[in-house]
Amino acid sequence: MSRISSLFSVLKHRGSGAFVPYICAGDPSLSFSERLGKTLIEAGADMIEIGIPFSDPIADGPIIQGAMKRSLSRGFKTDHLFQLVNRLRGVAEDRPIIVMSYMNPIFRYGIQRFCESVFSAGTDGLLIVDLPLEESVVIDDIAKSVGLEMIRIVSSSSSMDRIAEIVHASSGFIYMVSVPGVTGPKRRFPRSAFTFLKLIKSHTNLPVLLGFGVSNPQQARMAVLSGAEGVVEGSHIIEIYTSNDDTEEALRSIANHVCEMKMAMMLSQY
């Protein structure tokens, strides 16, 4: 059983949803990303999503765009990602680590070389935001051959036939876009998000996680009560550390936030 499958099996037994925070690698430095990752893991995050900074992040809103810009301006290179994953793997033996990227950085690095390197560093799965299903055969085969799960994004703009194709080609879990547009905190999910969640779950037995717009425990609770297996959150975490000049205080605030998100997703308390 893969590390991702094992996680969801354990969480189902515990009656808990998965909290998956996002880290922009190298923002504002590689050493801070490592400290942030360790803080998230020690506070109870179930899985870590690490994003590769990219100069044209069309799916991301201004907060993550800013994080990527800071990282790139300070010299982030793809090899730094492998160092970060390897260091976090040392403190997260049973916690899955997935890598989010746009296709261009992987293509430029070399698909085979990238997949082998990222898996060797300790990564469990890949989420490639702008990879069309029709153009994914090569990387799918390579990723599968080295042991990586291919996690895919589904949005409500897809047709029924398209949704069925995407979930059929996915492994690990499904990443559901909960609000139209780009990433960034929203106070509430639109009601249509939960109708769409039911539609996706009717097409797959894989866990479904909600991302885009997640920023508070109320949303996390609503997501799992509506049938999601967890949530992914990125922008709000970046907001916490960029709005606080005191690094130690920012990390404590983030740890407290992780605890609140986990508490909100304990189904056994409802």
Side-chain angles (χ1 to χ4, degrees):
M1 181 181 289
S2 72
R3 206 179 268 121
I4 293 176
S5 297
S6 178
L7 169 69
F8 285 111
S9 177
V10 169
L11 292 178
K12 184 177 181 179
H13 180 72
R14 292 177 182 168
S16 175
F19 178 58
V20 184
Y22 164 94
I23 297 171
C24 177
D27 176 45
S29 67
L30 204 61
S31 61
F32 179 80
S33 294
E34 183 179 350
R35 288 198 66 191
L36 175 60
K38 289 179 178 177
T39 297
L40 293 166
I41 290 164
E42 290 168 0
D46 298 295
M47 185 186 314
I48 300 293
E49 177 185 346
I50 303 177
I52 300 178
F54 181 50
S55 58
D56 188 21
I58 57 173
D60 289 298
I63 296 173
I64 292 181
Q65 286 181 17
M68 290 183 169
K69 187 176 180 180
R70 285 189 295 272
S71 178
L72 290 171
S73 69
R74 296 183 183 190
F76 177 86
K77 303 295 181 188
T78 303
D79 283 333
H80 295 150
L81 169 78
F82 311 134
Q83 297 171 22
L84 177 60
V85 172
N86 184 259
R87 289 169 186 168
L88 292 180
R89 175 53 64 213
V91 294
E93 294 182 1
D94 61 341
R95 242 66 73 87
I97 297 174
I98 64 170
V99 166
M100 187 284 283
S101 181
Y102 291 84
M103 190 60 209
N104 187 271
I106 297 174
F107 185 75
R108 289 189 61 186
Y109 195 84
I111 295 173
Q112 181 83 41
R113 181 178 169 222
F114 178 87
C115 289
E116 290 174 352
S117 298
V118 83
F119 179 77
S120 295
T123 303
D124 300 282
L126 289 181
L127 173 61
I128 305 174
V129 182
D130 59 347
L131 177 64
L133 196 59
E134 290 77 8
E135 299 175 20
S136 68
V137 174
V138 173
I139 192 167
D140 282 0
D141 288 346
I142 294 173
K144 184 178 179 181
S145 71
V146 301
L148 291 166
E149 307 273 17
M150 286 298 286
I151 299 141
R152 299 186 196 278
I153 286 185
V154 181
S155 73
S156 57
S157 60
S158 301
S159 67
M160 292 283 288
D161 288 345
R162 186 67 170 174
I163 291 170
E165 289 176 356
I166 292 171
V167 299
H168 180 71
S170 302
S171 60
F173 65 89
I174 305 294
Y175 187 122
M176 185 195 116
V177 175
S178 58
V179 295
V182 296
T183 58
K186 303 287 189 298
R187 292 186 64 185
R188 296 177 181 174
F189 292 133
R191 187 169 297 179
S192 59
F194 303 112
T195 303
F196 185 50
L197 173 63
K198 289 181 181 178
L199 176 64
I200 295 175
K201 291 186 73 68
S202 71
H203 283 81
T204 183
N205 291 321
L206 287 174
V208 180
L209 272 60
L210 272 60
F212 284 46
V214 176
S215 66
N216 61 62
Q218 291 75 26
Q219 290 172 321
R221 180 172 63 249
M222 282 299 299
V224 295
L225 288 175
S226 300
E229 277 77 11
V231 297
V232 182
E233 181 187 42
S235 297
H236 182 57
I237 292 171
I238 295 171
E239 278 187 323
I240 294 174
Y241 68 74
T242 54
S243 63
N244 196 329
D245 293 333
D246 186 328
T247 300
E248 300 304 322
E249 186 178 325
L251 291 174
R252 280 195 296 273
S253 295
I254 288 170
N256 290 335
H257 178 69
V258 173
C259 294
E260 291 173 353
M261 295 295 276
K262 282 298 298 177
M263 282 295 294
M265 289 191 284
M266 287 296 295
L267 289 173
S268 56
Q269 66 182 318
Y270 302 113

